[in-house]
Amino acid sequence: MQNQKDQRFLPQNICKILMAAKLISKEKARELLKKENHVRNILLNKKIKKRGKDLPNDRQAALVSFIDVILYLKIERMDQPLKRIDEDLIYMTLAEAWKFPYKKIDPLKLELNLVTGTISKSFAAKHLLLPLMVEEGKLIVATPDPFNYEAIKDVEMVSKLKVKTVVSSKSDIEKLINEFFGFRYSISAAEDLFSAKGLDIGNLEQFVSLKSFDDLPSTDQHIVNAVNHLFSYSFDQKASDIHIEPKRDICLVRMRIDGVLHTVYKLPKKLHNAVVSRIKTLSRLDMAEKRRPQDGRIKMEKDKVEVEIRVSTIPVAFGEKVVLRIMDPDVLFQDLEMLGFFKDDFERYKRLITMPFGIVLVTGPTGSGKSTTLYSSLRMLSSSKVNITTIEDPIEMIHEEFNQIAVQPAIDVTFGAVLRNILRQDPDIIMVGEIRDLETAKAAVQAALTGHLVLSTLHTNDAASTIFRLLDLGIPPYLVHSSLIGVVAQRLVRKICPYCVQEFEMDAKELNALGLTIKDRGGVRLSHGKGCVKCRNTGYKGRTGIYEIMPYSESLKMLTTSNARLEELRTKAIEEGLVLLRQNGIKKMLKGQTTYQEILRVTWDQI
């Protein structure tokens, strides 16, 4: 049996399977076999150097496989020449040939106790076996080698469950074994340090106990490791936020990915205070203060790039809840053209932000991408010839080319106060984090009237209603006329996964009935993601913006009076070329970039 298994992993047999799947040609297979020994030696030397010690020959063979050789050579697919053969594709193809199901593991759907409580780490690492879930009374176990029958039989004996084997990539299995078992060890070891039992019911009520227990110190190595794991895990999953929430019996850890919250871990409640204390230590917050909200920040390194993490703590019923906002420079500072603007929209927006003076407002709810739009705009405008100054609460991302000022209301350093003084600093472009009161609005108007370009944000539902928000704040119509040059309203929609996109037909009448006005009649070709290994079976991968760009024209100024009507102003803007958020989203839907469900979800207020 073992010999038969080894035969299946021979380079010649793997090449045959890839050729049968039309991924490589016969010539490419010959080339791979010819280069195998040379590439294998390169990879072996790298791995041995990394480990820092020599290994016996039999161990060396296990270090580098023929699949590693293929991946090193970065071969293009024969059926799709612009795409490379990756590890997932290789194992998926092998699994199909071996008559085993293939599974791309979604770490968010794994249960920590099942993964780490079924078998030991040493056994899992030696045989590359990872328990995933129990389904219909069977234990699903992932492995890159489904023919390791002896090890699988051992798992059945230990778990007392019938094992169903699925194939997954070797690197995924190795990474998850290290992450999950390492995190589990840290949590278990930290939990063991609580020798005395106690009851923690947070801020809900007072509990008196004669025998108290001390909180685990935030410097404990196991807690340090556990918190480090949470950060690295969130970076891997491209999460925008981490929520650490105390409940009555557990500490719940959730992460927001592509705008949706996912439950990641349920930790023992007794570790909650220690985890929170560790985060407070990193963000220089007062560990003793648990009754008042606190704000702080942490600077970390991810792939040799600095990442800012904004920390917010607030007392809730069962303790302190912590939310960490991950300010990734790869997300905040993007090429402006890649944010999702259509060509006409981009040209209109570019004209607004290259005006010599005036106010440009970006509006939308929290999490609609306003900060990304502003930061990306500032980076495009940045040069040695201009002085860019930002006033933020707090500073979201440090950037060397900007002069960034943090608002500190406790010592009267407010948006309005800084804006009044900033004009003596000779700025060309000023970015105000948010116009939230009359003082800030007046100061922004004054800055615009004295020859500065001011970029800022407001919380309104669409572009037209922004004018009325300024009037509601107390800005007289004549000052709005002379200072405002344009408004951008925006939302973020999830993009259809390019790896599993499928076309389908939907009747235009159905779309119109849903509130999505389509001029076409009959069937409309739309797209959606059926779900695949690349998108965790959600059908979506990444997000893009939809925009409503409204230059503040002379005719709109004439309609802005103390008794102005919103519908009248919006109708005039549409006549002048304004494309509403929903219509902008429909254009993206018809181009196959997103789904009608996403457009309805983010533009529910534009029915």
Side-chain angles (χ1 to χ4, degrees), residues 14 186 283 349 473 563:
I14 290 174
S186 297
S283 52
Y349 181 62
L473 282 171
N563 58 351

Side-chain angles (χ1 to χ4, degrees), residues 288-338:
E289 181 55 79
K290 299 184 179 183
R291 301 163 301 168
R292 292 191 181 95
Q294 294 188 71
D295 292 305
R297 64 193 310 119
I298 304 169
K299 184 172 280 191
M300 304 197 85
E301 188 178 75
K302 183 197 87 169
D303 301 329
K304 297 183 180 177
V305 176
E306 284 186 356
V307 176
E308 296 272 346
I309 297 171
R310 231 163 57 191
V311 180
S312 170
T313 71
I314 195 162
V316 294
F318 295 106
E320 277 186 289
K321 177 178 175 178
V322 181
V323 175
L324 302 106
R325 168 65 61 90
I326 300 166
M327 314 306 293
D328 190 336
D330 292 339
V331 174
L332 275 178
F333 297 106
Q334 296 187 43
D335 186 335
L336 205 54
E337 291 183 70
M338 304 304 290

Side-chain angles (χ1 to χ4, degrees), residues 368-399:
S368 59
K370 299 188 297 295
S371 296
T372 298
T373 300
L374 285 178
Y375 271 117
S376 300
S377 301
L378 290 177
R379 194 173 75 165
M380 190 190 89
L381 297 170
S382 176
S383 75
S384 58
K385 298 177 182 177
V386 294
N387 174 15
I388 296 175
T389 305
T390 75
I391 311 164
E392 304 171 63
D393 181 21
I395 296 171
E396 295 201 17
M397 174 61 67
I398 305 293
H399 194 281

